[in-house]
Amino acid sequence: MKKKITNIIVLLLITGFSALAQNNNSVAVNQLVIVANHPGPVISKDIYGHFSEHLGTCIYGGIWVGTDSKIPNTYGIRNDVLFALREIKVPNLRWPGGCFADTYHWKDGIGPQSKRASIVNIHWGGITEDNSFGTHEFMKLTELLDCDAYINGNVGTGSPQEMSEWVEYLTSDSESPMTKLRKENGREAPWKVKYFAIGNENWGCGGNMTDEYYANVMRQFSTYLTNYGDNRLYRVACGPSDFNYAWTETLMKDGGTRGRFQGLSIHYYSIVDGWGYKGSATKFDEREWFETMRMNLQMDDIIRGHKAIMDRYDPQKTKGLVVDEWGNWFQVEPGTNPGFLYQQNTMRDALTAAIHLNIFNKHADRIKVANLAQIVNVLQSVILTKDDKMVLTPTYHVFRMFRVHQEASLLNIDLRSEDYTFGNKKVPSVSASASVDKDGKVHISLANLNPNKAITVSCPVIGETYKKVTGEVLTSTEMNSHNSFETPEVVLPANFTGFTYKDGMLTINMPSKSVVVIELTK
Ligand code: AHR
């Protein structure tokens, strides 16, 4: 009841302000009203999660080089990547797939590395992997990153026994064959595992199942995913991709099915011209830029559609939406293995990251986890590596700038912005979200999608006044500006001074194709 009244007050404040501004003929074309004194739901830090699959050089080469490598490493994990990832505060890391997960047999990845069975990665390039990166190595990585483990179990080619034994091996402290095995492999104490997924894309690479069939299989597997000691698993059921609402309906409608998971995953990739020729990551024109923005914004519609179904069956919002694969998917870089999904990353990808993270923030009431695809060297990665070299992508910088939203409370905003038009299609020019953290600092993250035009946003901040305003901006000269191994600092965040703040009115002058984060301190 109290929450309802608060919501009504906030709504009245926002509409009242907008109406007043209109009566005074002073409504700005681009206006962002922020109500700073009525915090909403907490933005789960896990919305800022990442995804590491056995795919191309994501794990082998990108993260794992082995203890004998000349590349500086800690327990076989490259130091440069480790330090860079700690900077962006990775909250959780999903592993080992993706499609790979439903072919992975975890027992092949434990014990002395030289004795491990190999595996042919049937989905990604058909290469043979030596399994030197397995459960212990992954859990070490999460410890070094100080993040939560998100493990994706094998439904497609696995069994309930194999999956339940993995959870036992990882998290049990009782005396049992699995804990004995773990101790023999050098790990005495159980680990903590927060997220555990019951299969991946089981409508496709995870077994080509129907929704009804998967729902039954998921119920069976989930029954044997035990909470050992004080470890509480957040079980993630495989959900649909894109607009497949029928799958969500099937998983949500039945209480017995619904009761078997805490989160429901969805996947959505922005693919400019469909699954045929997907366009180059770096050589593109404005049509492709515009289409990318349009497809990115579609994420909001997709989430609203799945949320509406979840709200019907779970109005208390006890189940989370887990967007555990998202991002841009382009053609691989010329000359690279088509099965390795290695793509460059430009200012366009930075906009993509900002648009998605703003959308996820705004749905903080339902979205509890999200994972960019993928962390290193695959699809829209935050890091690219080549031998001992490493480069931070524009997407990396957006994650660094947006980390201030992690565990902050969402603020209510009302955003009106001019259209960015291309041909006969249009999208809003500005994307934004705002939050207030535990110290009372407000952070506003904005993106100007228009690559040709600077935009001024008038931003009345209602309810509080602030003594100090600072900002950071990420922008570039060209749409396709990017960081390479030869020139790693082309797209870098800079101090932002393009704003004024007077009598509660913040005015932000955003360069074309830019991402801006503003901090207001009391
Ligand atoms: O991220 C690449 C692949 O995309 C994943 O393995 C799969 O889940 C999705 O189709």
Side-chain angles (χ1 to χ4, degrees):
M1 186 63 180
K2 203 175 148 206
K3 203 172 147 208
K4 261 194 184 151
I5 294 172
T6 310
N7 286 343
I8 292 168
I9 293 170
V10 170
L11 202 72
L12 287 174
L13 276 170
I14 287 184
T15 44
F17 190 92
S18 296
L20 196 69
Q22 271 169 23
N23 285 343
N24 291 340
N25 287 330
S26 62
V27 73
V29 183
N30 300 297
Q31 187 184 66
L32 174 67
V33 183
I34 296 178
V35 182
N37 58 350
H38 286 280
V42 170
I43 299 170
S44 160
K45 66 181 187 323
D46 289 317
I47 282 177
Y48 290 79
H50 290 268
F51 172 31
S52 56
E53 179 165 12
H54 287 238
L55 198 177
T57 53
C58 179
I59 298 289
Y60 295 106
I63 293 173
W64 175 253
V65 287
T67 45
D68 295 338
S69 173
K70 286 203 181 79
I71 299 174
N73 65 82
T74 305
Y75 300 110
I77 296 159
R78 9 185 343 153
N79 287 344
D80 51 358
V81 170
L82 208 51
F83 294 144
L85 291 178
R86 284 183 65 94
E87 262 301 286
I88 56 172
K89 286 179 44 185
V90 173
N92 74 80
L93 186 61
R94 179 171 178 243
W95 173 82
C99 293
F100 180 80
D102 283 284
T103 66
Y104 182 63
H105 299 288
W106 69 271
K107 282 186 187 160
D108 293 341
I110 55 170
Q113 285 163 348
S114 59
K115 295 203 176 125
R116 293 184 189 174
S118 58
I119 179 172
V120 177
N121 195 329
I122 56 164
H123 291 294
W124 307 117
I127 49 139
T128 302
E129 296 182 10
D130 66 4
N131 264 319
S132 52
F133 189 90
T135 299
H136 289 251
E137 291 75 20
F138 173 69
M139 294 309 292
K140 177 56 78 183
L141 172 62
T142 61
E143 280 172 10
L144 294 169
L145 288 176
D146 195 18
C147 77
D148 283 310
Y150 177 178
I151 292 189
N152 206 116
N154 177 351
V155 166
T157 65
S159 66
Q161 181 179 354
E162 183 185 24
M163 194 184 282
S164 73
E165 285 183 345
W166 200 4
V167 171
E168 187 183 340
Y169 184 92
L170 283 157
T171 60
S172 171
D173 205 10
S174 308
E175 209 181 295
S176 78
M178 285 307 112
T179 55
K180 189 164 167 275
L181 188 58
R182 184 187 71 224
K183 289 173 190 173
E184 281 164 13
N185 289 330
R187 174 75 189 195
E188 192 62 30
W191 289 284
K192 289 267 179 270
V193 174
K194 188 168 178 187
Y195 298 108
F196 199 97
I198 307 165
N200 167 74
E201 296 194 353
N202 300 94
W203 37 264
C205 63
N208 284 306
M209 301 173 189
T210 64
D211 47 0
E212 296 285 354
Y213 183 79
Y214 171 75
N216 285 326
V217 169
M218 185 276 297
R219 290 168 66 136
Q220 182 194 7
F221 275 67
S222 172
T223 307
Y224 306 103
L225 298 183
T226 306
N227 284 326
Y228 290 102
D230 61 356
N231 192 71
R232 289 287 164 273
L233 289 177
Y234 188 97
R235 297 171 189 77
V236 180
C238 165
S241 79
D242 308 0
F243 296 94
N244 182 356
Y245 299 129
W247 185 286
T248 299
E249 181 79 30
T250 301
L251 271 282
M252 288 301 296
K253 71 180 178 204
D254 180 84
T257 305
R258 213 164 59 227
R260 289 272 148 222
F261 62 85
Q262 284 72 47
L264 181 67
S265 110
I266 59 165
H267 292 175
Y268 172 65
Y269 286 98
S270 299
I271 303 166
V272 172
D273 289 321
W275 284 103
Y277 180 77
K278 296 182 282 299
S280 161
T282 53
K283 296 185 178 67
F284 55 85
D285 56 20
E286 193 181 340
R287 182 194 71 82
E288 289 165 279
W289 168 285
F290 177 88
E291 276 304 302
T292 304
M293 301 296 117
R294 203 178 61 77
M295 296 212 65
N296 294 166
L297 289 163
Q298 244 174 224
M299 177 57 103
D300 192 52
D301 303 327
I302 291 170
I303 289 168
R304 282 177 199 283
H306 293 288
K307 258 177 92 169
I309 298 167
M310 295 178 86
D311 286 350
R312 234 181 318 120
Y313 296 109
D314 175 37
Q316 303 303 325
K317 300 188 196 293
T318 61
K319 310 287 167 201
L321 196 55
V322 175
V323 191
D324 52 12
E325 287 186 31
W326 65 268
N328 289 333
W329 192 321
F330 301 119
Q331 289 297 112
V332 298
E333 287 306 302
T336 64
N337 187 327
F340 282 12
L341 310 187
Y342 177 82
Q343 65 190 42
Q344 246 295 358
N345 196 292
T346 68
M347 191 63 213
R348 175 173 59 164
D349 295 278
L351 267 297
T352 294
I355 291 169
H356 280 79
L357 295 173
N358 279 336
I359 292 172
F360 297 155
N361 286 348
K362 281 189 278 183
H363 292 289
D365 59 334
R366 182 65 84 176
I367 301 186
K368 298 301 164 199
V369 187
N371 303 76
L372 171 70
Q374 297 192 6
I375 194 161
V376 183
N377 292 337
V378 171
L379 300 177
Q380 196 188 332
S381 43
V382 289
I383 288 176
L384 299 174
T385 67
K386 188 162 91 185
D387 304 323
D388 61 345
K389 292 199 189 69
M390 178 189 80
V391 71
L392 306 177
T393 67
T395 299
Y396 174 93
H397 295 302
V398 173
F399 269 84
R400 223 260 307 120
M401 290 164 72
F402 276 55
R403 67 188 171 170
V404 289
H405 288 306
Q406 293 188 23
E407 296 296 308
S409 299
L410 183 71
L411 290 177
N412 232 307
I413 60 169
D414 182 53
L415 172 65
R416 285 137 207 241
S417 80
E418 65 189 71
D419 291 331
Y420 162 36
T421 307
F422 189 84
N424 57 5
K425 292 182 186 165
K426 57 186 183 188
V427 294
S429 287
V430 180
S431 145
S433 69
S435 69
V436 57
D437 71 11
K438 289 189 187 76
D439 302 323
K441 285 184 180 169
V442 165
H443 293 104
I444 310 165
S445 48
L446 306 105
N448 176 3
L449 282 49
N450 193 322
N452 306 313
K453 189 177 170 200
I455 285 183
T456 299
V457 181
S458 301
C459 184
V461 185
I462 304 171
E464 300 281 358
T465 51
Y466 297 89
K467 290 206 179 87
K468 191 175 158 205
V469 186
T470 54
E472 217 178 352
V473 62
L474 188 72
T475 187
S476 62
T477 49
E478 309 300 328
M479 289 187 292
N480 67 346
S481 296
H482 57 276
N483 300 330
S484 67
F485 297 104
E486 295 71 40
T487 50
E489 300 198 335
V490 174
V491 187
L492 278 188
N495 185 32
F496 181 63
T497 53
F499 60 83
T500 57
Y501 178 62
K502 197 163 177 275
D503 301 330
M505 176 64 87
L506 183 64
T507 305
I508 308 165
N509 300 308
M510 299 187 70
S512 64
K513 51 177 159 19
S514 67
V515 178
V516 169
V517 174
I518 300 279
E519 180 175 277
L520 304 169
T521 310
K522 277 188 205 166

Coordinates of all heavy atoms in Angstrom, one line a residue, residues 57-67 69-85 133 141 144-145 376-377 383-391 485:
T57 N 39.0 -18.4 -28.7 CA 40.1 -18.1 -27.7 C 39.6 -17.4 -26.5 O 40.4 -16.6 -25.8 CB 41.3 -17.3 -28.4 OG1 40.7 -16.2 -29.0 CG2 42.0 -18.2 -29.4
C58 N 38.4 -17.7 -26.1 CA 37.8 -17.0 -24.9 C 38.6 -17.6 -23.7 O 39.2 -16.9 -22.9 CB 36.3 -17.2 -24.8 SG 35.6 -16.5 -23.3
I59 N 38.5 -18.9 -23.5 CA 39.1 -19.5 -22.3 C 40.6 -19.8 -22.7 O 41.5 -19.2 -22.0 CB 38.4 -20.9 -22.0 CG1 37.0 -20.7 -21.6 CG2 39.2 -21.6 -20.9 CD1 36.7 -20.0 -20.3
Y60 N 40.9 -20.6 -23.7 CA 42.3 -21.0 -24.0 C 42.9 -19.8 -24.8 O 42.6 -19.6 -25.9 CB 42.3 -22.3 -24.7 CG 41.8 -23.5 -23.9 CD1 40.6 -24.0 -24.1 CD2 42.6 -23.9 -22.8 CE1 40.1 -25.1 -23.3 CE2 42.2 -25.0 -22.0 CZ 40.9 -25.5 -22.3 OH 40.5 -26.6 -21.4
G61 N 43.9 -19.2 -24.1 CA 44.6 -18.1 -24.8 C 44.1 -16.7 -24.2 O 44.9 -15.8 -23.9
G62 N 42.8 -16.6 -24.1 CA 42.2 -15.3 -23.6 C 42.2 -15.2 -22.1 O 42.5 -14.1 -21.6
I63 N 42.0 -16.3 -21.4 CA 41.9 -16.2 -20.0 C 43.0 -17.2 -19.4 O 43.8 -16.8 -18.6 CB 40.5 -16.7 -19.4 CG1 39.5 -15.6 -19.8 CG2 40.6 -16.9 -17.9 CD1 38.1 -16.0 -19.5
W64 N 43.0 -18.4 -20.0 CA 43.9 -19.5 -19.4 C 45.1 -19.6 -20.3 O 45.0 -19.9 -21.5 CB 43.1 -20.8 -19.4 CG 43.9 -22.0 -19.0 CD1 44.3 -23.0 -19.8 CD2 44.3 -22.3 -17.7 NE1 44.9 -23.9 -19.1 CE2 45.0 -23.5 -17.8 CE3 44.2 -21.7 -16.4 CZ2 45.6 -24.2 -16.7 CZ3 44.8 -22.3 -15.3 CH2 45.5 -23.5 -15.4
V65 N 46.3 -19.5 -19.7 CA 47.5 -19.7 -20.5 C 48.3 -20.9 -19.9 O 49.3 -21.3 -20.5 CB 48.4 -18.5 -20.7 CG1 47.7 -17.5 -21.7 CG2 48.6 -17.8 -19.3
G66 N 47.9 -21.3 -18.7 CA 48.7 -22.4 -18.0 C 49.8 -21.8 -17.2 O 50.4 -20.7 -17.5
T67 N 50.2 -22.5 -16.2 CA 51.2 -22.1 -15.3 C 52.6 -22.0 -16.0 O 53.5 -21.2 -15.5 CB 51.3 -23.0 -14.1 OG1 51.3 -24.3 -14.5 CG2 50.2 -22.7 -13.1
S69 N 53.3 -20.9 -18.9 CA 53.3 -19.8 -20.0 C 54.3 -18.7 -19.6 O 54.5 -18.4 -18.5 CB 51.9 -19.3 -20.2 OG 52.0 -18.2 -21.0
K70 N 54.9 -18.1 -20.7 CA 55.7 -16.9 -20.5 C 54.9 -15.7 -20.2 O 55.3 -14.7 -19.7 CB 56.5 -16.7 -21.8 CG 57.7 -17.7 -22.0 CD 58.7 -17.0 -22.9 CE 59.9 -18.0 -23.2 NZ 59.6 -19.0 -24.2
I71 N 53.6 -15.8 -20.6 CA 52.7 -14.7 -20.3 C 52.4 -14.6 -18.8 O 52.1 -15.7 -18.2 CB 51.3 -14.8 -21.1 CG1 51.6 -14.8 -22.6 CG2 50.3 -13.7 -20.7 CD1 50.4 -15.1 -23.4
P72 N 52.7 -13.5 -18.1 CA 52.6 -13.4 -16.7 C 51.2 -13.9 -16.2 O 50.1 -13.5 -16.8 CB 52.8 -12.0 -16.3 CG 53.6 -11.4 -17.5 CD 53.1 -12.2 -18.7
N73 N 51.1 -14.8 -15.3 CA 49.9 -15.4 -14.9 C 49.8 -15.8 -13.4 O 50.8 -15.9 -12.8 CB 49.6 -16.7 -15.7 CG 50.6 -17.8 -15.4 OD1 50.5 -18.5 -14.5 ND2 51.7 -17.9 -16.3
T74 N 48.6 -15.9 -12.9 CA 48.4 -16.4 -11.5 C 47.7 -17.7 -11.6 O 46.5 -17.7 -12.1 CB 47.6 -15.3 -10.8 OG1 48.3 -14.1 -10.9 CG2 47.4 -15.7 -9.3
Y75 N 48.3 -18.8 -11.2 CA 47.7 -20.1 -11.3 C 47.2 -20.4 -12.7 O 46.2 -21.0 -13.0 CB 46.5 -20.3 -10.4 CG 46.8 -20.1 -8.9 CD1 46.3 -19.0 -8.2 CD2 47.5 -21.0 -8.2 CE1 46.6 -18.8 -6.9 CE2 47.8 -20.9 -6.8 CZ 47.3 -19.8 -6.2 OH 47.6 -19.6 -4.9
G76 N 48.0 -19.9 -13.7 CA 47.6 -20.2 -15.1 C 46.7 -19.2 -15.8 O 46.4 -19.3 -17.0
I77 N 46.2 -18.2 -15.0 CA 45.2 -17.2 -15.5 C 46.0 -15.9 -15.8 O 46.7 -15.4 -14.9 CB 44.1 -17.0 -14.5 CG1 43.3 -18.3 -14.3 CG2 43.2 -15.8 -14.9 CD1 42.5 -18.4 -13.1
R78 N 45.9 -15.4 -17.0 CA 46.7 -14.2 -17.4 C 46.4 -13.0 -16.5 O 45.3 -12.7 -16.2 CB 46.6 -13.8 -18.8 CG 45.6 -14.3 -19.7 CD 45.6 -13.9 -21.1 NE 46.4 -12.7 -21.5 CZ 46.9 -12.5 -22.7 NH1 46.7 -13.4 -23.7 NH2 47.6 -11.4 -23.0
N79 N 47.5 -12.4 -16.0 CA 47.4 -11.3 -15.1 C 46.8 -10.1 -15.7 O 46.0 -9.4 -15.0 CB 48.8 -10.9 -14.5 CG 49.3 -12.0 -13.5 OD1 48.6 -12.8 -13.0 ND2 50.6 -12.0 -13.3
D80 N 47.2 -9.8 -17.0 CA 46.6 -8.5 -17.6 C 45.1 -8.6 -17.6 O 44.4 -7.6 -17.3 CB 47.3 -8.3 -18.9 CG 47.2 -9.5 -19.9 OD1 46.7 -10.6 -19.5 OD2 47.6 -9.3 -21.1
V81 N 44.6 -9.7 -18.0 CA 43.1 -9.9 -18.2 C 42.5 -9.8 -16.8 O 41.4 -9.2 -16.6 CB 42.8 -11.2 -18.9 CG1 41.3 -11.5 -18.8 CG2 43.3 -11.1 -20.4
L82 N 43.1 -10.5 -15.8 CA 42.6 -10.5 -14.5 C 42.5 -9.1 -13.9 O 41.4 -8.7 -13.4 CB 43.6 -11.3 -13.6 CG 43.1 -12.1 -12.4 CD1 41.9 -12.9 -12.7 CD2 44.3 -12.9 -11.9
F83 N 43.5 -8.3 -14.0 CA 43.5 -7.0 -13.4 C 42.5 -6.1 -14.1 O 41.8 -5.3 -13.5 CB 44.9 -6.3 -13.5 CG 45.9 -7.1 -12.6 CD1 47.3 -7.2 -13.0 CD2 45.5 -7.6 -11.4 CE1 48.2 -7.9 -12.2 CE2 46.4 -8.3 -10.6 CZ 47.8 -8.4 -11.0
A84 N 42.4 -6.2 -15.5 CA 41.5 -5.4 -16.2 C 40.0 -5.8 -15.8 O 39.2 -4.9 -15.6 CB 41.6 -5.6 -17.7
L85 N 39.8 -7.0 -15.6 CA 38.4 -7.5 -15.2 C 38.1 -7.0 -13.8 O 36.9 -6.7 -13.5 CB 38.3 -9.0 -15.4 CG 38.3 -9.5 -16.8 CD1 38.1 -11.0 -16.9 CD2 37.1 -8.8 -17.7
F133 N 41.5 -26.5 -18.5 CA 40.7 -25.5 -17.7 C 39.4 -26.2 -17.3 O 38.6 -26.5 -18.2 CB 40.4 -24.3 -18.5 CG 39.8 -23.2 -17.8 CD1 40.6 -22.2 -17.1 CD2 38.4 -23.1 -17.6 CE1 40.0 -21.2 -16.4 CE2 37.8 -22.0 -16.9 CZ 38.6 -21.1 -16.3
L141 N 39.4 -18.8 -10.8 CA 39.2 -17.6 -11.5 C 38.1 -16.7 -10.8 O 38.3 -15.5 -10.6 CB 38.8 -17.9 -13.0 CG 38.3 -16.7 -13.8 CD1 39.4 -15.7 -14.1 CD2 37.8 -17.2 -15.2
L144 N 39.7 -15.2 -7.8 CA 40.6 -14.1 -8.1 C 39.9 -12.8 -8.6 O 40.3 -11.7 -8.4 CB 41.6 -14.5 -9.2 CG 42.6 -15.6 -8.8 CD1 43.4 -16.2 -10.0 CD2 43.6 -15.1 -7.7
L145 N 38.7 -13.0 -9.2 CA 37.9 -11.9 -9.7 C 37.0 -11.4 -8.5 O 36.3 -10.4 -8.7 CB 37.1 -12.3 -10.9 CG 37.7 -12.5 -12.2 CD1 36.8 -13.0 -13.2 CD2 38.4 -11.2 -12.7
V376 N 35.9 -12.4 -23.3 CA 37.2 -12.2 -24.0 C 37.2 -12.8 -25.4 O 36.8 -14.0 -25.5 CB 38.4 -12.8 -23.2 CG1 39.7 -12.5 -23.8 CG2 38.4 -12.3 -21.8
N377 N 37.5 -12.1 -26.4 CA 37.8 -12.6 -27.8 C 36.6 -13.3 -28.5 O 36.8 -13.9 -29.5 CB 38.9 -13.7 -27.7 CG 40.3 -13.1 -27.4 OD1 40.5 -11.9 -27.6 ND2 41.2 -13.9 -26.9
I383 N 37.3 -7.5 -23.8 CA 38.8 -7.6 -23.9 C 39.1 -8.4 -25.1 O 38.5 -9.4 -25.4 CB 39.4 -8.3 -22.6 CG1 39.3 -7.3 -21.4 CG2 40.8 -8.7 -22.9 CD1 39.8 -7.9 -20.1
L384 N 40.2 -8.0 -25.9 CA 40.7 -8.8 -27.0 C 42.2 -9.1 -26.6 O 42.9 -8.2 -26.1 CB 40.7 -8.0 -28.3 CG 39.3 -7.6 -28.8 CD1 39.4 -6.7 -30.0 CD2 38.4 -8.8 -29.1
T385 N 42.6 -10.3 -26.9 CA 44.0 -10.6 -26.7 C 44.6 -11.2 -28.0 O 43.9 -11.8 -28.8 CB 44.2 -11.7 -25.6 OG1 43.6 -12.9 -26.0 CG2 43.6 -11.2 -24.3
K386 N 45.9 -11.0 -28.1 CA 46.7 -11.6 -29.2 C 48.1 -12.0 -28.5 O 48.8 -11.1 -28.1 CB 46.9 -10.7 -30.3 CG 47.5 -11.4 -31.5 CD 47.2 -10.6 -32.8 CE 48.4 -9.6 -33.1 NZ 48.2 -8.7 -34.2
D387 N 48.3 -13.2 -28.4 CA 49.6 -13.7 -27.7 C 49.6 -13.0 -26.3 O 48.7 -13.0 -25.6 CB 50.8 -13.5 -28.6 CG 50.6 -14.2 -29.9 OD1 50.0 -15.3 -29.9 OD2 51.0 -13.6 -30.9
D388 N 50.7 -12.2 -26.1 CA 50.9 -11.6 -24.8 C 50.2 -10.2 -24.8 O 50.4 -9.4 -23.8 CB 52.3 -11.5 -24.4 CG 53.2 -10.7 -25.4 OD1 52.7 -10.4 -26.5 OD2 54.3 -10.3 -25.0
K389 N 49.6 -9.8 -25.9 CA 49.0 -8.4 -25.9 C 47.5 -8.4 -25.5 O 46.8 -9.4 -25.8 CB 49.1 -7.8 -27.3 CG 50.5 -7.5 -27.8 CD 50.5 -6.6 -29.0 CE 51.8 -6.4 -29.6 NZ 52.3 -7.6 -30.3
M390 N 47.1 -7.3 -25.0 CA 45.7 -7.2 -24.6 C 45.2 -5.8 -24.9 O 45.9 -4.8 -24.8 CB 45.6 -7.4 -23.1 CG 44.2 -7.2 -22.6 SD 44.1 -7.2 -20.8 CE 44.5 -5.5 -20.4
V391 N 43.9 -5.7 -25.4 CA 43.4 -4.4 -25.6 C 42.0 -4.4 -25.0 O 41.2 -5.4 -25.0 CB 43.4 -4.2 -27.2 CG1 42.4 -5.0 -27.9 CG2 43.1 -2.7 -27.5
F485 N 45.5 -3.7 -31.4 CA 46.7 -4.0 -30.7 C 47.8 -2.9 -31.1 O 48.7 -2.6 -30.3 CB 47.2 -5.4 -31.1 CG 46.2 -6.4 -30.6 CD1 45.3 -7.0 -31.5 CD2 46.1 -6.7 -29.2 CE1 44.4 -7.9 -31.0 CE2 45.2 -7.6 -28.8 CZ 44.3 -8.2 -29.6

